[in-house]
Structure formats: C-alpha cells, structure tokens
Amino acid sequence: MKPILNIAAYLFVSLDDLPALRTKMLEECNARELKGTILLTGEGINLFLAGKTVALRGFLDWLRSDSRFSLLEAKESWSDDQPFKKMLIKLKAEIIRMNHPSIRPESGRANFITPKKLQEWLDRGTDDLGRPVVMLDTRNAFEVEYGTFENALHFNIQKFTEFPEAITAHKEQLADKTVVSFCTGGIRCEKSGLYMREIGMEHNYQLEGGILKYFEEVGSAHYQGSCFVFDQREALEPDLDSISFEASNRKNIKVS
C-alpha cells in the first residue's frame, strides 16, 4: 500500500466560534504533520487532507470526539507522495457557495442513491419504476473535461452559483426522467438535490459519496476518463490511482 493516505470529507452541521475552532484544528493537524485544506463555515466543514495513515486517522478520531462531527465520513485514496504543500484552514460563508440561503442540507437531505444501486440502474438504463435515468454532472466545465459518466448531462458552468439558473432552464426537458446528480465527493449535490426538489423536480437523487465513492465501490463501470481532484495529484483514475490531465481520456459532453 502507498504510504500517504488522502481523505476527502464534509459534513453540514451548525458551527459557531469559528476562530477558536480553527486554532484547535490547526494545532492538531500540525502536531500530526498533516497537510491540506479545511473550510469552516457556519453551515459545516469541508476537508481535503493527507498524511501518514496513523496520524490522519488519529486526527479523524479526535475530530469525531466532538459530537458535532461524530457523523463525519471520509473517502480514502492513497499516494506515494504528499500532494499538498501546506496546511490551511479557511473561514468561509458557505462550504460550497450557492447563494440560496433557503437550501440547508443540515435540515434534511435530498434523496440519495448508493453507488451499487446506481450501477444497477445504469446497467439496465432505467430506475426501478422503468423511468429513463439521466446522469447530471453538477461540476464546473473544466472538471467535466477530465471525465464524467457516459452520456452525462452538464451545463458548461464556470462556478456552482450558476447551477440554479441552469437547472431551472432545463426543468421541463427533464420532467419525465429520473435525474441522478453527482460531483466529486457529494458536497455540491447536497445542495443541488435540495434545490431541484424546491423547484418541483420530484424524481431526483444524488449519488452518495460522489464520484470518489463510486470509484471505491464500483470502479469504472459507465464512467469515462478520470476525476479531477483539488490537490497536486490533479486527477484520479477509477482505481483511485493518480493520472495527469494530458494522459487522461477527456470527454466533452454538453447539453444539446
């Protein structure tokens, strides 16, 4: 096994006293020689960290000892080298910016589908009720270029704040379909799924754990290319090994 453990995790939970929390977390990360980025906001936490296995899992144990973070789940991958240059903890207004205050995942999640169940639907081409399944990529355009699900729909957006307007414009087009939204680790879909429900799109699901969890549990089935990640590894193959953009199988799949 490669020596460096990489994790991606998030949790929507109400947080206060962020400066003090930042100080404590930074002390714990530095003591364990971890590197990466943590975003702290009033609506929750988002983190990408890497380090030696015992040290990183020790940090997660420490974090989960706080009842606010007890439900935090992490996606894991491995690398030969440390993919981050420094340890940063940033205070933000949202852990993923959407500019729609009414969308609060902590108050109730959108419907979700597990990777294994999604593979079953994609193998068949329909959901359990016989409705056609459309995969909806909620990521930014440059991320989609690295890879995405076969025949996935995306809106060529440059930032996530553009998603609400884009999906609203295509609401009628998708009315008779079951829509499964997905992103890198699931965080954007926590909000996109709720927004779709808010505008009356009843048959929508989010892929639990995002592309990274799908790679971990399913592999490459129905997926083309690699998945962009926010560290120096640049992109991960379906076997969770890193690959450069030049070597990846890029697919440009746009709304018709």
Side-chain angles (χ1 to χ4, degrees):
M1 183 176 292
K2 296 181 179 181
I4 300 298
L5 173 62
N6 300 265
I7 64 151
Y10 70 87
L11 185 67
F12 285 95
V13 59
S14 294
L15 300 176
D16 54 17
D17 201 8
L18 299 182
L21 187 57
R22 177 187 182 277
T23 297
K24 291 179 182 178
M25 285 189 180
L26 191 56
E27 289 174 352
E28 292 291 333
C29 288
N30 288 337
R32 292 173 168 83
E33 299 182 335
L34 305 180
K35 293 182 180 179
T37 301
I38 298 177
L39 300 183
L40 289 175
T41 80
E43 69 174 4
I45 185 173
N46 187 21
L47 58 155
F48 298 91
L49 294 176
K52 293 182 179 178
T53 303
V54 173
L56 185 45
R57 289 191 171 149
F59 173 76
L60 289 176
D61 289 342
W62 171 82
L63 190 60
R64 290 173 181 139
S65 68
D66 183 326
S67 60
R68 295 173 295 179
F69 303 114
S70 62
L71 298 179
L72 185 79
E73 296 183 5
K75 276 79 68 177
E76 296 185 351
S77 59
W78 304 85
S79 60
D80 289 317
D81 303 304
Q82 169 61 257
F84 296 101
K85 293 182 178 180
K86 58 182 70 175
M87 184 66 232
L88 297 173
I89 302 182
K90 302 177 181 180
L91 306 184
K92 296 284 187 178
E94 297 180 72
I95 52 177
I96 181 67
R97 186 180 172 194
M98 193 185 208
N99 292 341
H100 278 267
S102 63
I103 304 299
R104 297 180 55 82
E106 183 186 5
S107 300
R109 301 184 66 196
N111 296 326
F112 67 88
I113 183 171
T114 65
K116 291 288 189 180
K117 188 64 176 180
L118 176 60
Q119 181 186 15
E120 178 185 319
W121 283 9
L122 295 178
D123 285 345
R124 192 170 60 231
T126 65
D127 66 10
D128 292 338
L129 299 177
R131 295 170 58 91
V133 175
V134 173
M135 297 299 296
L136 175 61
D137 198 328
T138 66
R139 299 172 300 161
N140 297 341
F142 82 91
E143 297 172 77
V144 178
E145 290 183 348
Y146 283 79
T148 190
F149 281 92
E150 296 169 355
N151 302 313
L153 181 70
H154 82 86
F155 302 133
N156 201 33
I157 60 177
Q158 304 306 308
K159 52 189 177 181
F160 187 58
T161 52
E162 299 171 7
F163 177 83
E165 182 179 356
I167 188 62
T168 300
H170 291 84
K171 175 183 173 182
E172 296 305 319
Q173 172 188 340
L174 299 169
D176 60 343
K177 310 290 194 305
T178 289
V179 177
V180 178
S181 61
F182 65 93
C183 55
T184 307
I187 188 169
R188 279 173 273 200
C189 294
E190 296 279 0
K191 290 191 173 183
S192 66
L194 290 176
Y195 183 81
M196 284 189 279
R197 188 167 70 187
E198 185 176 87
I199 64 173
M201 297 178 65
E202 298 179 5
H203 303 283
N204 82 85
Y205 296 80
Q206 68 182 74
L207 173 58
E208 180 78 352
I211 298 168
L212 296 181
K213 193 66 175 178
Y214 187 89
F215 282 178
E216 184 180 330
E217 295 190 3
V218 174
S220 63
H222 304 286
Y223 193 93
Q224 297 176 329
S226 58
C227 177
F228 176 83
V229 290
F230 296 88
D231 58 55
Q232 291 185 346
R233 292 175 298 170
E234 191 169 355
L236 296 182
E237 288 274 51
D239 62 1
L240 294 176
D241 199 6
S242 59
I243 183 172
S244 69
F245 182 47
E246 289 75 13
S248 66
N249 181 23
R250 295 193 295 170
K251 299 291 180 181
N252 292 294
I253 304 174
K254 299 182 180 180
V255 176
S256 59

